[in-house]
Amino acid sequence: MASSRVTVGLAAAAAALAGMALQVRANARRAEREHPPAGRFIHAGGIRLHYLEAGIGGPPVVLLHGNAVQAEDYVASGVFGLAAERHRVLAFDRPGYGYSERPRDRPWTAEAQAAVLAEALARLGIRRAIVVGHSWGTLTALALALNHPEAVGGLVLLSGYYFPTARADVAMISPTALPVLGDAIRYTVGPLVGRLMAPMMVRTMFAPAPVPAAFTSAVPTGMMLRPWQIKASAEDAAAMIPAAVALVERYGELSRLPVSIIAGAEDMVVDRDRQSARLHREIAASSLQVVSGLGHMVHHGAPDLVGQAIEAIAAPGQPVSAAMTASAVTAEEHTTDIG
């Protein structure tokens, strides 16, 4: 009798998990239907990358987003539009985010992501770009500058994590990156729990500033909670400390580049003194601006400051081409079930 009850219980649990998996997949597909890709695709490093492009002129500007979000974060902040007034600007979905692929064929370290982006930039005819990175995207930007110097002419680093420190969020989210167990979580309870936690997490990212409606519209929760994007976020969280360890001894090499560091004074995600201020001390020629009243999403509260940092690197005192903003081309048919 007891074994029968166990069997029935296991069957009921399996049925419940199967139902959750179907709902999670349906939610992900609905999010993609409601928010189709708005840019172009390019194949590089054996994967397909999605990117937004606008503007003309030079030097070109490349925008790399942080964890959990996608390229549209820069559109919502206004940085994309500001940069496009005077430059050719490209905002990439990093591998695994938005509509960029992230196959299981390699560890997606900062260096691996930078290698794919370097190939994409070369194919697009982009050299010596001003690379803007936010949060986790700063690690990719740094790896790009250090390992592919021909691709980078300057760095604008926003709310970055540069030096290894203990982080509770890594331990919390990393299990969803594990094989088998992580897959089970991501396709069942993970997105459902994430939907409950997402509003608080987003508020923390923006605090003490409010969450702007433009962000919620451009980076909807449904897109962030697709199982394959949860996987990318979890893998990046797990790789964050090792990425900083791998890069930290090489920061002195960046003295050859103009580097602008910007951080929110009230950042609740990354300690700006232990990260941004310390990096400024490590890179002798860098500049540091700490913005009071803003937190981790500093580019949303101070897009003009980011634009000024780009222009300071671009060619101070030299004429820039007149603004000519082009609309992004609608992307081809897509499939992103890769996680």
Side-chain angles (χ1 to χ4, degrees), residues 288-328:
L288 171 65
Q289 298 182 78
V290 176
V291 189
S292 62
L294 294 179
H296 193 61
M297 303 297 274
V298 66
H299 53 307
H300 282 263
D304 290 339
L305 186 61
V306 179
Q308 290 164 17
I310 292 170
E311 295 310 317
I313 291 174
Q318 301 206 6
V320 241
S321 59
M324 181 181 293
T325 304
S327 299

Side-chain angles (χ1 to χ4, degrees), residues 95-146:
Y97 297 87
Y99 286 98
S100 289
E101 295 176 336
R102 190 180 182 117
R104 299 174 186 250
D105 62 351
R106 75 202 80 171
W108 283 101
T109 61
E111 288 91 343
Q113 295 184 40
V116 169
L117 288 163
E119 183 176 326
L121 294 177
R123 291 189 176 192
L124 291 165
I126 298 213
R127 293 176 54 85
R128 310 294 296 165
I130 299 169
V131 180
V132 182
H134 172 249
S135 192
W136 211 99
T138 61
L139 292 167
T140 309
L142 288 165
L144 190 62
L146 290 167

Side-chain angles (χ1 to χ4, degrees), residues 145-217:
L146 290 167
N147 296 341
H148 309 275
E150 73 288 346
V152 181
L155 292 169
V156 179
L157 305 173
L158 313 172
S159 304
Y161 177 84
Y162 313 109
F163 301 93
T165 57
R167 293 185 61 91
D169 56 337
V170 171
M172 181 178 67
I173 193 173
S174 293
T176 53
L178 296 172
V180 184
L181 173 62
D183 293 336
I185 294 171
R186 291 184 292 105
Y187 278 90
T188 55
V189 297
L192 305 178
V193 173
R195 193 168 293 276
L196 298 175
M197 296 176 59
M200 179 188 68
M201 293 174 65
V202 172
R203 285 196 299 270
T204 300
M205 288 161 57
F206 279 92
V211 179
F215 173 83
T216 305
S217 175

